[in-house]
Amino acid sequence: MPRLWIAAFALLLAGCATAPEPAPVSSETTTAGRERLSDQDLQAKWWTWAASSPENRNPVVDDTGQWCAENQPQDVWFFAGTFGGAVDRRCRVPAGRPLAGPAITLASTDANCTTFMADAKGSVTLDGQLVELRRIAPVAITYQAARDNVVGQREGRVPAQGCGLWAWIPPLNPGEHELLVKGESGTFSSSARYLLLVNSSD
């Protein structure tokens, strides 16, 4: 399986719980200046973030949370799954910043996205409550890849079709929170457990 497909990633998060599911948490409510990004902008921005660091500092490869803050944008805090397997991460999150990330995602061709989404399953759970996911069909995006990036692209602008199951979470209250991100498609599965500490101020 090509690495970019796996990266699809990365956030490649998937998963279905067999236990009774809690009521979904709506991700529609945002604070002023924290409106959700469009399907295109969200994916382009996230993939630029995911492709901005080499493997030894990349937050998607990270299995402890030490690189959570690496290259985070100023207006949103991105989370990620893994390139396969399960991890536990501890991260600090600035106050007043919305969170966003995929349960599972892919940046490839339109045909690959269609096949990928046919089997895609995923969930994002915040403090025991399911977060409503946005199902994004293939949409044209362009993201920026850094030198020696982990998604296997040349440095520079990368055109692609983006798709996946995405979460947008309004800014969290100060304190500790648990975020569970799971995803799968075909034979690929990923799981990331985040223990988040939200600062009382930036």
Side-chain angles (χ1 to χ4, degrees), residues 108-182:
S108 186
T109 65
D110 183 75
N112 283 344
C113 255
T114 299
T115 300
F116 180 79
M117 291 303 293
D119 291 333
K121 302 174 185 176
S123 65
V124 174
T125 306
L126 175 66
D127 295 334
Q129 292 189 303
L130 287 173
V131 174
E132 181 182 351
L133 297 182
R134 195 186 337 176
R135 188 177 186 90
I136 300 179
V139 60
I141 65 171
T142 300
Y143 65 92
Q144 188 73 27
R147 182 188 301 271
D148 299 325
N149 63 82
V150 299
V151 300
Q153 292 292 343
R154 291 183 179 180
E155 180 182 9
R157 292 169 61 83
V158 181
Q161 292 288 320
C163 57
L165 302 174
W166 289 82
W168 181 274
I169 301 173
L172 302 177
N173 293 328
E176 291 188 354
H177 300 271
E178 181 184 58
L179 183 71
L180 302 177
V181 183
K182 298 180 180 180

Side-chain angles (χ1 to χ4, degrees), residues 6-111:
I6 292 180
F9 121 58
L11 280 187
L12 282 180
L13 325 190
C16 294
T18 56
E21 296 182 343
V25 174
S26 174
S27 58
E28 293 296 328
T29 303
T30 57
T31 58
R34 301 285 191 262
E35 282 73 21
R36 299 194 308 173
L37 297 170
S38 68
D39 292 352
Q40 186 176 44
D41 290 344
L42 174 61
Q43 294 185 102
K45 195 164 189 171
W46 186 91
W47 277 97
T48 294
W49 171 73
S52 65
S53 307
E55 186 169 355
N56 65 342
R57 297 179 62 90
N58 192 277
V60 182
V61 178
D62 181 14
D63 60 2
T64 66
Q66 64 176 321
W67 303 116
C68 285
E70 187 77 1
N71 295 324
Q72 287 281 1
Q74 294 300 308
D75 56 347
V76 64
W77 194 89
F78 285 132
F79 58 83
T82 71
F83 287 113
V87 298
D88 282 276
R89 298 169 178 150
R90 297 180 63 90
C91 309
R92 289 185 175 272
V93 179
R97 195 177 299 185
L99 282 66
I104 193 162
T105 183
L106 177 68
S108 186
T109 65
D110 183 75

